[in-house]
Amino acid sequence: MTSWYEGPLAAFDTETTGVDVETDRIVSAALVVQDGPGFRPRVSRWLVNPGVPVPEAATAVHGLTEDHLQRNGRWPAPVMYEIAEQLAEQAVARRPLVVMNAPFDLTLLDRELRRHRASSLDRWFERAPLLVLDPRVMDKHLDRYRKGRRTLTDLCAHYGVTLDEAHDAAADALAALEVVRALGHRFASRLERLSPAQLHTLQASWHAEQARGLQAWFARSGVEEAVDPAWPLRPDLPAAA
């Protein structure tokens, strides 16, 4: 029987105007679908005119200028609908969705849907639940004592995955997908008997535990910063957003 990490996977990634999921906007997104290791991935891309200024700091990361997005990007409302529809198709197909640091990208998409479509992301998964695989959460749990950062670039280096054009949504999504496959092989004895649905449930617990640990570390360091334990989506939309 084929293990989940050797079967069909999809991956989703966004590039944004910043790092605040409540106020920042999506400027590009990509969905990558791969039927198995070595299969040519199918890629859907979206370029968005966010309708708000694009900070120079954000452009420095992903290379998308405000002028380029105004000239070539589409309005957010139809784009967010298309993205949600394609993610729902993955859920109906029972195809796991790889999302690196899922609470960021999925919450941002949820807020964009609320902002532009008067709807939430959960609405698209009433027929079939979304099954998320988050390489950041999985790696931190399975190799918790390894020192060092765990950005996508770091994980790619650790698991021997090539990452070309970092901070391009499609490139990052494909790299995250390959990291999950590599992670599955490395920890096969602990993962191969688990279904994607079981892993989804476990990751929610793993992330909450990781959040509590980080919150405790902040407290010991005198840092006043809240760590949200919710995964893969932060449920509440503050009134100020």
Side-chain angles (χ1 to χ4, degrees):
M1 182 176 178
T2 301
S3 300
W4 59 263
Y5 49 82
E6 295 178 328
L9 293 175
F12 176 66
D13 188 70
T14 66
E15 297 300 328
T16 69
T17 60
V19 296
D20 188 332
V21 295
E22 306 297 351
T23 59
D24 280 305
R25 311 297 175 89
I26 294 172
V27 296
S28 71
L31 177 68
V32 174
V33 179
Q34 188 184 46
D35 293 329
F39 283 78
R40 184 173 181 174
R42 303 185 295 279
V43 182
S44 298
R45 302 173 184 264
W46 296 270
L47 192 66
V48 186
N49 177 358
V52 299
V54 180
E56 292 183 2
T59 297
V61 172
H62 49 59
L64 298 171
T65 66
E66 187 172 334
D67 179 68
H68 177 76
L69 292 168
Q70 288 178 348
R71 291 174 180 271
N72 301 284
R74 297 169 57 202
W75 289 114
V79 171
M80 302 311 152
Y81 178 85
E82 289 173 14
I83 293 173
E85 283 284 294
Q86 289 210 26
L87 296 191
E89 289 177 11
Q90 309 313 310
V92 169
R94 304 296 287 175
R95 188 179 293 118
L97 182 72
V98 175
V99 189
M100 174 72 183
N101 191 17
F104 179 78
D105 292 85
L106 295 183
T107 303
L108 196 64
L109 176 59
D110 175 78
R111 299 331 188 228
E112 289 278 52
L113 287 166
R114 294 175 187 243
R115 187 177 291 121
H116 298 290
R117 305 291 309 193
S119 183
S120 67
L121 183 58
D122 286 339
R123 175 194 159 197
W124 268 266
F125 304 109
E126 293 173 348
R127 286 188 298 163
L130 186 64
L131 302 176
V132 177
L133 299 174
D134 188 334
R136 184 171 182 267
V137 172
M138 296 172 69
D139 175 72
K140 288 180 71 174
H141 177 80
L142 295 164
D143 199 1
R144 67 178 65 193
Y145 299 114
R146 188 178 81 249
K147 296 185 182 299
R149 295 164 41 127
R150 301 187 193 233
T151 66
L152 179 59
T153 300
D154 297 317
L155 294 186
C156 286
H158 182 71
Y159 288 100
V161 171
T162 299
L163 174 57
D164 295 322
E165 301 181 62
H167 298 296
D168 169 82
D172 286 357
L174 180 58
L177 186 153
E178 295 293 352
V179 165
V180 165
R181 291 200 190 281
L183 191 152
H185 280 282
R186 184 167 300 188
F187 297 98
S189 62
R190 300 165 66 182
L191 295 176
E192 63 183 353
R193 295 183 181 180
L194 296 172
S195 69
Q198 290 171 319
L199 266 174
H200 181 100
T201 300
L202 285 169
Q203 285 170 98
S205 298
W206 295 347
H207 176 79
E209 179 185 2
Q210 293 160 11
R212 288 192 295 268
L214 182 56
Q215 190 74 75
W217 185 86
F218 281 149
R220 292 193 300 270
S221 304
V223 177
E224 295 185 7
E225 184 170 342
V227 183
D228 197 323
W231 182 97
L233 177 67
R234 298 176 191 171
D236 296 325
L237 179 65

